[in-house]
Amino acid sequence: DAGVIQSPRHEVTEMGQEVTLRCKPISGHNSLFWYRQTMMRGLELLIYFNNNVPIDDSGMPEDRFSAKMPNASFSTLKIQPSEPRDSAVYFCASSFNRDTDTQYFGPGTRLTVL
Amino acid sequence: AQSVAQPEDQVNVAEGNPLTVKCTYSVSGNPYLFWYVQYPNRGLQFLLKYITGDNLVKGSYGFEAEFNKSQTSFHLKKPSALVSDSALYFCAVIRRALTFGSGTRLQVQP
């Protein structure tokens, strides 16, 4: 299995631009998670899906952030408009069962907003 | 609310010596605990987890962790450290999603 795939690996954009991050979970996994890693806040959950349905988006910073999972093999995290404080590494992870099963992480997308 | 604490920002150990990376947790109900490792510019890699059963959990790359309910701890250990073990280590607790500790940087010196 190829593992969790994320694209792009690096993204540099200017403030005010729209950014879309993409994730392909491991085939057969039914839970998908988006995390963000920053020096100040460490690793924090943004949102997670179970069977393509958003379950908890309480970690999404504000309305500029949105996430979708149109099918079991694809999810997007969109930031519009982007701001410099959104600069971080964004990780996608997937698992079979959200409660106790191991989550497997993608390589992350390093976002820089100038 | 659930949380984990990693009291050490950095741990230094000489190659060949045993290593311990500390983690304490605070959860209501049964704790489900994980250790992940992050190498530079890489994603998080799963090392091991405790769900139930034996208090000593064995994982990848020779790592193990000891679950101690009375001390609410889940310390990561390895009998003999390698230079290649140098990385950032995260303890986490799961209740639907993972809640991570702040991370501990392990530096193994040759």
Side-chain angles (χ1 to χ4, degrees), chain A residues 35-36 41-45 91 93 103 105, chain B residues 2-6 23 34-37 44 89-94 97-103:
Chain A
Y35 293 90
R36 179 171 68 174
R41 300 175 64 90
L43 277 159
E44 52 183 348
L45 175 73
F91 290 106
Q103 294 180 24
F105 284 73
Chain B
Q2 57 187 27
S3 65
V4 292
Q6 294 181 242
C23 172
F34 290 73
W35 276 102
Y36 283 83
V37 59
L44 279 75
Y89 290 80
F90 291 96
C91 181
V93 61
I94 194 168
L98 288 164
T99 299
F100 288 92
S102 55

Side-chain angles (χ1 to χ4, degrees), chain A residues 36 46 60-67 77-79 86 90:
Chain A
R36 179 171 68 174
L46 297 177
M60 296 285 262
E62 47 197 272
D63 292 345
R64 297 185 297 105
F65 285 68
S66 62
L77 177 67
K78 183 179 293 186
I79 308 172
D86 302 331
Y90 291 81

Side-chain angles (χ1 to χ4, degrees), chain A residues 35 37 48 98 102-103, chain B residues 36 38 49 94 96-98:
Chain A
Y35 293 90
Q37 184 178 33
Y48 73 89
R98 67 175 190 266
T102 301
Q103 294 180 24
Chain B
Y36 283 83
Q38 184 178 26
K49 67 180 178 183
I94 194 168
R96 299 189 179 88
L98 288 164

Side-chain angles (χ1 to χ4, degrees), chain A residues 1-113:
Chain A
D1 197 315
V4 176
I5 299 172
Q6 291 187 247
S7 64
R9 293 292 309 276
H10 302 274
E11 177 79 35
V12 180
T13 190
E14 293 187 347
M15 182 174 62
Q17 296 298 305
E18 176 182 302
V19 175
T20 299
L21 311 182
R22 298 173 175 80
C23 175
K24 176 179 169 57
I26 293 173
S27 177
H29 283 186
N30 59 12
S31 294
L32 183 140
F33 306 80
W34 283 99
Y35 293 90
R36 179 171 68 174
Q37 184 178 33
T38 62
M39 290 294 293
M40 292 296 295
R41 300 175 64 90
L43 277 159
E44 52 183 348
L45 175 73
L46 297 177
I47 185 172
Y48 73 89
F49 296 83
N50 187 248
N51 293 323
N52 310 338
V53 176
I55 302 300
D56 183 354
D57 65 354
S58 60
M60 296 285 262
E62 47 197 272
D63 292 345
R64 297 185 297 105
F65 285 68
S66 62
K68 294 182 179 179
M69 192 165 186
N71 57 62
S73 59
F74 184 66
S75 176
T76 60
L77 177 67
K78 183 179 293 186
I79 308 172
Q80 181 184 20
S82 58
E83 297 182 1
R85 59 186 168 137
D86 302 331
S87 298
V89 181
Y90 291 81
F91 290 106
C92 177
S94 69
S95 71
F96 283 111
N97 176 300
R98 67 175 190 266
D99 285 344
T100 62
D101 201 25
T102 301
Q103 294 180 24
Y104 294 92
F105 284 73
T109 295
R110 182 174 296 275
L111 173 64
T112 303
V113 183

Side-chain angles (χ1 to χ4, degrees), chain B residues 14-64:
Chain B
E15 186 175 31
N17 283 0
L19 68 88
T20 298
V21 182
K22 296 179 181 178
C23 172
T24 58
Y25 65 88
S26 174
V27 301
S28 56
N30 293 324
Y32 303 122
L33 299 160
F34 290 73
W35 276 102
Y36 283 83
V37 59
Q38 184 178 26
Y39 296 98
N41 301 314
R42 302 281 295 276
L44 279 75
Q45 296 180 30
F46 168 73
L47 279 179
L48 51 81
K49 67 180 178 183
Y50 172 83
I51 302 297
T52 186
D54 290 341
N55 291 340
L56 187 63
V57 180
K58 294 191 181 298
S60 305
Y61 312 121
F63 284 93
E64 58 191 24

